[in-house]
mmCIF file of all heavy atoms in Angstrom:
data_model
loop_
_atom_site.group_PDB
_atom_site.id
_atom_site.type_symbol
_atom_site.label_atom_id
_atom_site.label_comp_id
_atom_site.label_asym_id
_atom_site.label_seq_id
_atom_site.Cartn_x
_atom_site.Cartn_y
_atom_site.Cartn_z
ATOM 1 N N ASP A 804 3.572 -9.122 -0.293
ATOM 2 C CA ASP A 804 2.674 -9.902 0.572
ATOM 3 C C ASP A 804 1.212 -9.724 0.168
ATOM 4 O O ASP A 804 0.449 -10.689 0.137
ATOM 5 C CB ASP A 804 2.853 -9.495 2.034
ATOM 6 C CG ASP A 804 4.235 -9.824 2.578
ATOM 7 O OD1 ASP A 804 4.890 -10.731 2.035
ATOM 8 O OD2 ASP A 804 4.652 -9.155 3.540
ATOM 9 N N ILE A 805 0.830 -8.498 -0.133
ATOM 10 C CA ILE A 805 -0.559 -8.237 -0.537
ATOM 11 C C ILE A 805 -0.859 -8.953 -1.855
ATOM 12 O O ILE A 805 -1.913 -9.577 -2.007
ATOM 13 C CB ILE A 805 -0.827 -6.726 -0.661
ATOM 14 C CG1 ILE A 805 -0.636 -6.035 0.687
ATOM 15 C CG2 ILE A 805 -2.237 -6.475 -1.198
ATOM 16 C CD1 ILE A 805 -0.620 -4.505 0.603
ATOM 17 N N ALA A 806 0.086 -8.890 -2.798
ATOM 18 C CA ALA A 806 -0.098 -9.550 -4.091
ATOM 19 C C ALA A 806 -0.253 -11.062 -3.908
ATOM 20 O O ALA A 806 -1.133 -11.682 -4.517
ATOM 21 C CB ALA A 806 1.079 -9.244 -5.019
ATOM 22 N N GLU A 807 0.562 -11.645 -3.058
ATOM 23 C CA GLU A 807 0.466 -13.092 -2.785
ATOM 24 C C GLU A 807 -0.870 -13.429 -2.124
ATOM 25 O O GLU A 807 -1.544 -14.378 -2.506
ATOM 26 C CB GLU A 807 1.632 -13.518 -1.885
ATOM 27 C CG GLU A 807 1.588 -14.973 -1.465
ATOM 28 C CD GLU A 807 1.799 -15.953 -2.614
ATOM 29 O OE1 GLU A 807 2.402 -15.567 -3.639
ATOM 30 O OE2 GLU A 807 1.350 -17.116 -2.486
ATOM 31 N N LEU A 808 -1.244 -12.644 -1.127
ATOM 32 C CA LEU A 808 -2.491 -12.884 -0.412
ATOM 33 C C LEU A 808 -3.699 -12.840 -1.341
ATOM 34 O O LEU A 808 -4.591 -13.685 -1.261
ATOM 35 C CB LEU A 808 -2.655 -11.846 0.707
ATOM 36 C CG LEU A 808 -3.955 -11.911 1.513
ATOM 37 C CD1 LEU A 808 -4.034 -13.216 2.303
ATOM 38 C CD2 LEU A 808 -4.054 -10.704 2.433
ATOM 39 N N LEU A 809 -3.720 -11.862 -2.244
ATOM 40 C CA LEU A 809 -4.876 -11.674 -3.112
ATOM 41 C C LEU A 809 -4.766 -12.400 -4.454
ATOM 42 O O LEU A 809 -5.697 -12.360 -5.255
ATOM 43 C CB LEU A 809 -5.112 -10.177 -3.349
ATOM 44 C CG LEU A 809 -5.367 -9.342 -2.097
ATOM 45 C CD1 LEU A 809 -5.669 -7.891 -2.471
ATOM 46 C CD2 LEU A 809 -6.495 -9.920 -1.256
ATOM 47 N N GLY A 810 -3.617 -13.047 -4.694
ATOM 48 C CA GLY A 810 -3.437 -13.781 -5.948
ATOM 49 C C GLY A 810 -3.405 -12.854 -7.151
ATOM 50 O O GLY A 810 -3.957 -13.173 -8.212
ATOM 51 N N MET A 811 -2.744 -11.726 -6.998
ATOM 52 C CA MET A 811 -2.668 -10.734 -8.070
ATOM 53 C C MET A 811 -1.211 -10.363 -8.311
ATOM 54 O O MET A 811 -0.336 -10.696 -7.516
ATOM 55 C CB MET A 811 -3.482 -9.489 -7.693
ATOM 56 C CG MET A 811 -4.958 -9.762 -7.502
ATOM 57 S SD MET A 811 -5.866 -8.306 -6.950
ATOM 58 C CE MET A 811 -5.769 -7.280 -8.406
ATOM 59 N N THR A 812 -0.962 -9.643 -9.391
ATOM 60 C CA THR A 812 0.405 -9.208 -9.677
ATOM 61 C C THR A 812 0.752 -8.004 -8.810
ATOM 62 O O THR A 812 -0.126 -7.259 -8.370
ATOM 63 C CB THR A 812 0.565 -8.798 -11.161
ATOM 64 O OG1 THR A 812 -0.250 -7.645 -11.412
ATOM 65 C CG2 THR A 812 0.181 -9.942 -12.094
ATOM 66 N N GLN A 813 2.045 -7.830 -8.580
ATOM 67 C CA GLN A 813 2.501 -6.669 -7.820
ATOM 68 C C GLN A 813 2.122 -5.379 -8.544
ATOM 69 O O GLN A 813 1.785 -4.386 -7.905
ATOM 70 C CB GLN A 813 4.014 -6.736 -7.619
ATOM 71 C CG GLN A 813 4.436 -7.790 -6.633
ATOM 72 C CD GLN A 813 5.921 -7.743 -6.367
ATOM 73 O OE1 GLN A 813 6.526 -6.664 -6.328
ATOM 74 N NE2 GLN A 813 6.519 -8.910 -6.165
ATOM 75 N N SER A 814 2.138 -5.407 -9.869
ATOM 76 C CA SER A 814 1.775 -4.233 -10.650
ATOM 77 C C SER A 814 0.317 -3.835 -10.410
ATOM 78 O O SER A 814 0.007 -2.646 -10.225
ATOM 79 C CB SER A 814 2.001 -4.510 -12.137
ATOM 80 O OG SER A 814 1.582 -3.428 -12.912
ATOM 81 N N ALA A 815 -0.571 -4.821 -10.399
ATOM 82 C CA ALA A 815 -1.998 -4.543 -10.167
ATOM 83 C C ALA A 815 -2.216 -4.003 -8.754
ATOM 84 O O ALA A 815 -2.983 -3.051 -8.553
ATOM 85 C CB ALA A 815 -2.827 -5.804 -10.392
ATOM 86 N N ILE A 816 -1.538 -4.596 -7.784
ATOM 87 C CA ILE A 816 -1.662 -4.139 -6.398
ATOM 88 C C ILE A 816 -1.095 -2.734 -6.262
ATOM 89 O O ILE A 816 -1.694 -1.866 -5.618
ATOM 90 C CB ILE A 816 -0.952 -5.112 -5.426
ATOM 91 C CG1 ILE A 816 -1.638 -6.475 -5.433
ATOM 92 C CG2 ILE A 816 -0.882 -4.530 -4.021
ATOM 93 C CD1 ILE A 816 -3.089 -6.465 -4.994
ATOM 94 N N SER A 817 0.046 -2.486 -6.898
ATOM 95 C CA SER A 817 0.677 -1.173 -6.841
ATOM 96 C C SER A 817 -0.253 -0.091 -7.396
ATOM 97 O O SER A 817 -0.360 1.001 -6.821
ATOM 98 C CB SER A 817 1.982 -1.206 -7.631
ATOM 99 O OG SER A 817 2.598 0.051 -7.615
ATOM 100 N N HIS A 818 -0.936 -0.405 -8.486
ATOM 101 C CA HIS A 818 -1.883 0.555 -9.071
ATOM 102 C C HIS A 818 -2.998 0.886 -8.076
ATOM 103 O O HIS A 818 -3.333 2.061 -7.879
ATOM 104 C CB HIS A 818 -2.476 -0.013 -10.361
ATOM 105 C CG HIS A 818 -3.618 0.798 -10.889
ATOM 106 N ND1 HIS A 818 -3.437 2.017 -11.501
ATOM 107 C CD2 HIS A 818 -4.948 0.574 -10.856
ATOM 108 C CE1 HIS A 818 -4.624 2.506 -11.833
ATOM 109 N NE2 HIS A 818 -5.551 1.655 -11.453
ATOM 110 N N GLN A 819 -3.559 -0.129 -7.443
ATOM 111 C CA GLN A 819 -4.641 0.098 -6.485
ATOM 112 C C GLN A 819 -4.143 0.820 -5.235
ATOM 113 O O GLN A 819 -4.854 1.674 -4.678
ATOM 114 C CB GLN A 819 -5.321 -1.226 -6.110
ATOM 115 C CG GLN A 819 -5.989 -1.933 -7.270
ATOM 116 C CD GLN A 819 -7.065 -1.109 -7.945
ATOM 117 O OE1 GLN A 819 -7.623 -0.190 -7.364
ATOM 118 N NE2 GLN A 819 -7.371 -1.446 -9.187
ATOM 119 N N LEU A 820 -2.934 0.511 -4.802
ATOM 120 C CA LEU A 820 -2.358 1.211 -3.650
ATOM 121 C C LEU A 820 -2.163 2.692 -3.966
ATOM 122 O O LEU A 820 -2.341 3.549 -3.099
ATOM 123 C CB LEU A 820 -1.037 0.568 -3.228
ATOM 124 C CG LEU A 820 -1.164 -0.745 -2.460
ATOM 125 C CD1 LEU A 820 0.187 -1.438 -2.379
ATOM 126 C CD2 LEU A 820 -1.738 -0.511 -1.069
ATOM 127 N N ARG A 821 -1.816 3.000 -5.214
ATOM 128 C CA ARG A 821 -1.658 4.398 -5.614
ATOM 129 C C ARG A 821 -2.989 5.144 -5.482
ATOM 130 O O ARG A 821 -3.042 6.268 -4.972
ATOM 131 C CB ARG A 821 -1.153 4.486 -7.061
ATOM 132 C CG ARG A 821 -0.756 5.876 -7.497
ATOM 133 C CD ARG A 821 -0.143 5.931 -8.900
ATOM 134 N NE ARG A 821 0.905 4.953 -9.086
ATOM 135 C CZ ARG A 821 0.791 3.849 -9.876
ATOM 136 N NH1 ARG A 821 -0.323 3.616 -10.536
ATOM 137 N NH2 ARG A 821 1.790 3.008 -9.996
ATOM 138 N N VAL A 822 -4.075 4.506 -5.919
ATOM 139 C CA VAL A 822 -5.403 5.115 -5.779
ATOM 140 C C VAL A 822 -5.735 5.319 -4.303
ATOM 141 O O VAL A 822 -6.210 6.388 -3.902
ATOM 142 C CB VAL A 822 -6.484 4.245 -6.470
ATOM 143 C CG1 VAL A 822 -7.883 4.770 -6.189
ATOM 144 C CG2 VAL A 822 -6.228 4.158 -7.973
ATOM 145 N N LEU A 823 -5.466 4.306 -3.495
ATOM 146 C CA LEU A 823 -5.743 4.395 -2.058
ATOM 147 C C LEU A 823 -4.877 5.463 -1.388
ATOM 148 O O LEU A 823 -5.349 6.197 -0.513
ATOM 149 C CB LEU A 823 -5.525 3.039 -1.385
ATOM 150 C CG LEU A 823 -6.535 1.954 -1.761
ATOM 151 C CD1 LEU A 823 -6.052 0.584 -1.293
ATOM 152 C CD2 LEU A 823 -7.908 2.274 -1.191
ATOM 153 N N LYS A 824 -3.624 5.565 -1.808
ATOM 154 C CA LYS A 824 -2.717 6.573 -1.247
ATOM 155 C C LYS A 824 -3.173 7.974 -1.644
ATOM 156 O O LYS A 824 -3.202 8.881 -0.809
ATOM 157 C CB LYS A 824 -1.288 6.321 -1.730
ATOM 158 C CG LYS A 824 -0.270 7.272 -1.140
ATOM 159 C CD LYS A 824 1.125 6.906 -1.642
ATOM 160 C CE LYS A 824 2.104 8.006 -1.398
ATOM 161 N NZ LYS A 824 1.888 9.187 -2.226
ATOM 162 N N ASN A 825 -3.545 8.160 -2.903
ATOM 163 C CA ASN A 825 -4.025 9.475 -3.363
ATOM 164 C C ASN A 825 -5.310 9.879 -2.646
ATOM 165 O O ASN A 825 -5.563 11.069 -2.455
ATOM 166 C CB ASN A 825 -4.232 9.485 -4.875
ATOM 167 C CG ASN A 825 -2.925 9.445 -5.636
ATOM 168 O OD1 ASN A 825 -1.863 9.763 -5.105
ATOM 169 N ND2 ASN A 825 -2.983 9.037 -6.889
ATOM 170 N N GLY A 826 -6.104 8.908 -2.240
ATOM 171 C CA GLY A 826 -7.324 9.167 -1.489
ATOM 172 C C GLY A 826 -7.087 9.280 0.005
ATOM 173 O O GLY A 826 -8.030 9.395 0.779
ATOM 174 N N ARG A 827 -5.828 9.237 0.403
ATOM 175 C CA ARG A 827 -5.414 9.327 1.809
ATOM 176 C C ARG A 827 -6.020 8.217 2.665
ATOM 177 O O ARG A 827 -6.358 8.417 3.820
ATOM 178 C CB ARG A 827 -5.747 10.712 2.371
ATOM 179 C CG ARG A 827 -4.979 11.817 1.680
ATOM 180 C CD ARG A 827 -5.273 13.221 2.165
ATOM 181 N NE ARG A 827 -5.691 13.311 3.537
ATOM 182 C CZ ARG A 827 -6.776 13.984 3.932
ATOM 183 N NH1 ARG A 827 -7.541 14.594 3.069
ATOM 184 N NH2 ARG A 827 -7.096 14.042 5.219
ATOM 185 N N LEU A 828 -6.134 7.034 2.071
ATOM 186 C CA LEU A 828 -6.652 5.887 2.818
ATOM 187 C C LEU A 828 -5.536 4.971 3.295
ATOM 188 O O LEU A 828 -5.723 4.229 4.257
ATOM 189 C CB LEU A 828 -7.657 5.110 1.966
ATOM 190 C CG LEU A 828 -8.903 5.894 1.567
ATOM 191 C CD1 LEU A 828 -9.779 5.076 0.636
ATOM 192 C CD2 LEU A 828 -9.686 6.309 2.803
ATOM 193 N N VAL A 829 -4.398 4.986 2.614
ATOM 194 C CA VAL A 829 -3.239 4.215 3.061
ATOM 195 C C VAL A 829 -2.009 5.119 3.079
ATOM 196 O O VAL A 829 -1.966 6.151 2.405
ATOM 197 C CB VAL A 829 -2.952 2.971 2.170
ATOM 198 C CG1 VAL A 829 -4.121 2.016 2.164
ATOM 199 C CG2 VAL A 829 -2.558 3.365 0.770
ATOM 200 N N LYS A 830 -1.034 4.696 3.860
ATOM 201 C CA LYS A 830 0.256 5.377 3.921
ATOM 202 C C LYS A 830 1.330 4.303 3.825
ATOM 203 O O LYS A 830 1.033 3.101 3.893
ATOM 204 C CB LYS A 830 0.392 6.178 5.212
ATOM 205 C CG LYS A 830 0.339 5.333 6.470
ATOM 206 C CD LYS A 830 0.375 6.178 7.723
ATOM 207 C CE LYS A 830 0.239 5.287 8.954
ATOM 208 N NZ LYS A 830 0.164 6.055 10.183
ATOM 209 N N PHE A 831 2.563 4.711 3.658
ATOM 210 C CA PHE A 831 3.646 3.725 3.561
ATOM 211 C C PHE A 831 4.862 4.194 4.338
ATOM 212 O O PHE A 831 5.004 5.363 4.664
ATOM 213 C CB PHE A 831 4.015 3.476 2.092
ATOM 214 C CG PHE A 831 4.666 4.649 1.418
ATOM 215 C CD1 PHE A 831 6.044 4.795 1.424
ATOM 216 C CD2 PHE A 831 3.907 5.620 0.790
ATOM 217 C CE1 PHE A 831 6.656 5.871 0.805
ATOM 218 C CE2 PHE A 831 4.492 6.707 0.172
ATOM 219 C CZ PHE A 831 5.876 6.831 0.182
ATOM 220 N N ARG A 832 5.696 3.217 4.617
ATOM 221 C CA ARG A 832 6.999 3.497 5.214
ATOM 222 C C ARG A 832 8.003 2.567 4.553
ATOM 223 O O ARG A 832 7.662 1.452 4.151
ATOM 224 C CB ARG A 832 6.987 3.313 6.731
ATOM 225 C CG ARG A 832 6.853 1.888 7.184
ATOM 226 C CD ARG A 832 7.007 1.749 8.705
ATOM 227 N NE ARG A 832 6.912 0.347 9.073
ATOM 228 C CZ ARG A 832 7.932 -0.514 9.071
ATOM 229 N NH1 ARG A 832 9.139 -0.115 8.732
ATOM 230 N NH2 ARG A 832 7.755 -1.773 9.425
ATOM 231 N N LYS A 833 9.230 3.035 4.417
ATOM 232 C CA LYS A 833 10.280 2.235 3.794
ATOM 233 C C LYS A 833 11.192 1.675 4.874
ATOM 234 O O LYS A 833 11.540 2.352 5.840
ATOM 235 C CB LYS A 833 11.101 3.076 2.821
ATOM 236 C CG LYS A 833 10.329 3.504 1.602
ATOM 237 C CD LYS A 833 11.210 4.287 0.656
ATOM 238 C CE LYS A 833 10.406 4.700 -0.569
ATOM 239 N NZ LYS A 833 11.249 5.413 -1.531
ATOM 240 N N GLU A 834 11.559 0.417 4.682
ATOM 241 C CA GLU A 834 12.530 -0.235 5.549
ATOM 242 C C GLU A 834 13.511 -0.927 4.616
ATOM 243 O O GLU A 834 13.214 -1.999 4.085
ATOM 244 C CB GLU A 834 11.835 -1.242 6.462
ATOM 245 C CG GLU A 834 12.725 -1.787 7.555
ATOM 246 C CD GLU A 834 11.955 -2.654 8.528
ATOM 247 O OE1 GLU A 834 11.090 -2.124 9.253
ATOM 248 O OE2 GLU A 834 12.211 -3.885 8.530
ATOM 249 N N GLY A 835 14.657 -0.270 4.391
ATOM 250 C CA GLY A 835 15.597 -0.778 3.399
ATOM 251 C C GLY A 835 14.965 -0.688 2.015
ATOM 252 O O GLY A 835 14.502 0.367 1.596
ATOM 253 N N LYS A 836 14.904 -1.831 1.318
ATOM 254 C CA LYS A 836 14.309 -1.873 -0.019
ATOM 255 C C LYS A 836 12.828 -2.236 0.010
ATOM 256 O O LYS A 836 12.175 -2.272 -1.020
ATOM 257 C CB LYS A 836 15.062 -2.878 -0.888
ATOM 258 C CG LYS A 836 16.485 -2.479 -1.176
ATOM 259 C CD LYS A 836 17.157 -3.483 -2.075
ATOM 260 C CE LYS A 836 18.582 -3.055 -2.382
ATOM 261 N NZ LYS A 836 19.248 -3.985 -3.298
ATOM 262 N N THR A 837 12.309 -2.492 1.185
ATOM 263 C CA THR A 837 10.915 -2.926 1.310
ATOM 264 C C THR A 837 10.030 -1.743 1.707
ATOM 265 O O THR A 837 10.394 -0.940 2.570
ATOM 266 C CB THR A 837 10.792 -4.039 2.375
ATOM 267 O OG1 THR A 837 11.701 -5.097 2.041
ATOM 268 C CG2 THR A 837 9.383 -4.590 2.420
ATOM 269 N N VAL A 838 8.872 -1.667 1.070
ATOM 270 C CA VAL A 838 7.892 -0.622 1.371
ATOM 271 C C VAL A 838 6.684 -1.281 2.025
ATOM 272 O O VAL A 838 6.072 -2.183 1.439
ATOM 273 C CB VAL A 838 7.464 0.135 0.087
ATOM 274 C CG1 VAL A 838 6.437 1.202 0.417
ATOM 275 C CG2 VAL A 838 8.672 0.731 -0.612
ATOM 276 N N TYR A 839 6.363 -0.847 3.225
ATOM 277 C CA TYR A 839 5.231 -1.385 3.971
ATOM 278 C C TYR A 839 4.062 -0.402 3.923
ATOM 279 O O TYR A 839 4.252 0.799 4.140
ATOM 280 C CB TYR A 839 5.614 -1.650 5.428
ATOM 281 C CG TYR A 839 6.589 -2.781 5.587
ATOM 282 C CD1 TYR A 839 7.953 -2.538 5.671
ATOM 283 C CD2 TYR A 839 6.140 -4.096 5.651
ATOM 284 C CE1 TYR A 839 8.861 -3.584 5.821
ATOM 285 C CE2 TYR A 839 7.031 -5.148 5.803
ATOM 286 C CZ TYR A 839 8.389 -4.882 5.874
ATOM 287 O OH TYR A 839 9.279 -5.921 6.020
ATOM 288 N N TYR A 840 2.883 -0.929 3.672
ATOM 289 C CA TYR A 840 1.670 -0.122 3.634
ATOM 290 C C TYR A 840 0.805 -0.414 4.854
ATOM 291 O O TYR A 840 0.787 -1.536 5.358
ATOM 292 C CB TYR A 840 0.868 -0.401 2.359
ATOM 293 C CG TYR A 840 1.481 0.244 1.149
ATOM 294 C CD1 TYR A 840 2.494 -0.397 0.438
ATOM 295 C CD2 TYR A 840 1.080 1.509 0.734
ATOM 296 C CE1 TYR A 840 3.081 0.208 -0.668
ATOM 297 C CE2 TYR A 840 1.664 2.125 -0.363
ATOM 298 C CZ TYR A 840 2.657 1.469 -1.056
ATOM 299 O OH TYR A 840 3.249 2.068 -2.139
ATOM 300 N N SER A 841 0.090 0.613 5.291
ATOM 301 C CA SER A 841 -0.868 0.475 6.390
ATOM 302 C C SER A 841 -1.997 1.477 6.147
ATOM 303 O O SER A 841 -1.892 2.355 5.285
ATOM 304 C CB SER A 841 -0.188 0.748 7.734
ATOM 305 O OG SER A 841 0.332 2.059 7.765
ATOM 306 N N LEU A 842 -3.064 1.334 6.917
ATOM 307 C CA LEU A 842 -4.154 2.292 6.812
ATOM 308 C C LEU A 842 -3.657 3.662 7.257
ATOM 309 O O LEU A 842 -2.840 3.762 8.173
ATOM 310 C CB LEU A 842 -5.349 1.851 7.657
ATOM 311 C CG LEU A 842 -5.986 0.523 7.267
ATOM 312 C CD1 LEU A 842 -7.214 0.242 8.135
ATOM 313 C CD2 LEU A 842 -6.363 0.483 5.793
ATOM 314 N N ASP A 843 -4.132 4.704 6.618
ATOM 315 C CA ASP A 843 -3.617 6.051 6.870
ATOM 316 C C ASP A 843 -3.855 6.521 8.296
ATOM 317 O O ASP A 843 -2.985 7.130 8.904
ATOM 318 C CB ASP A 843 -4.229 7.050 5.884
ATOM 319 C CG ASP A 843 -3.566 8.398 5.968
ATOM 320 O OD1 ASP A 843 -2.405 8.512 5.550
ATOM 321 O OD2 ASP A 843 -4.201 9.331 6.504
ATOM 322 N N ASP A 844 -5.038 6.282 8.829
ATOM 323 C CA ASP A 844 -5.323 6.659 10.216
ATOM 324 C C ASP A 844 -6.511 5.846 10.724
ATOM 325 O O ASP A 844 -7.069 5.021 10.002
ATOM 326 C CB ASP A 844 -5.562 8.169 10.372
ATOM 327 C CG ASP A 844 -6.739 8.684 9.562
ATOM 328 O OD1 ASP A 844 -7.678 7.917 9.291
ATOM 329 O OD2 ASP A 844 -6.738 9.871 9.210
ATOM 330 N N GLU A 845 -6.878 6.104 11.976
ATOM 331 C CA GLU A 845 -7.946 5.319 12.588
ATOM 332 C C GLU A 845 -9.298 5.558 11.922
ATOM 333 O O GLU A 845 -10.183 4.700 11.981
ATOM 334 C CB GLU A 845 -8.040 5.599 14.094
ATOM 335 C CG GLU A 845 -8.574 6.957 14.476
ATOM 336 C CD GLU A 845 -7.566 8.103 14.422
ATOM 337 O OE1 GLU A 845 -6.370 7.864 14.185
ATOM 338 O OE2 GLU A 845 -7.995 9.251 14.611
ATOM 339 N N HIS A 846 -9.469 6.695 11.243
ATOM 340 C CA HIS A 846 -10.744 6.963 10.578
ATOM 341 C C HIS A 846 -11.018 5.960 9.460
ATOM 342 O O HIS A 846 -12.157 5.537 9.277
ATOM 343 C CB HIS A 846 -10.773 8.385 9.991
ATOM 344 C CG HIS A 846 -10.670 9.440 11.023
ATOM 345 N ND1 HIS A 846 -9.571 10.259 11.123
ATOM 346 C CD2 HIS A 846 -11.512 9.809 12.005
ATOM 347 C CE1 HIS A 846 -9.753 11.093 12.127
ATOM 348 N NE2 HIS A 846 -10.918 10.838 12.691
#
């Protein structure tokens, strides 16, 4: 969904999500084969 919204490849989005996750800015949860991302916390 993020890749479609931003007009980018899933690979490019995945790379940026990794940076955001390592910086503790986003978190994820798995539902079956789908991985959902959200902001890590209210901060």
Side-chain angles (χ1 to χ4, degrees):
D804 295 336
I805 298 169
E807 176 67 23
L808 177 65
L809 301 183
M811 298 176 69
T812 65
Q813 288 185 36
S814 176
I816 295 299
S817 179
H818 170 74
Q819 297 301 338
L820 284 167
R821 189 175 311 109
V822 173
L823 291 167
K824 183 178 165 290
N825 289 340
R827 296 179 28 230
L828 297 175
V829 300
K830 62 184 177 184
F831 68 91
R832 70 173 182 86
K833 292 182 180 182
E834 190 173 293
K836 294 182 179 182
T837 305
V838 179
Y839 291 95
Y840 284 85
S841 60
L842 298 183
D843 189 70
D844 60 27
E845 71 279 354
H846 297 113

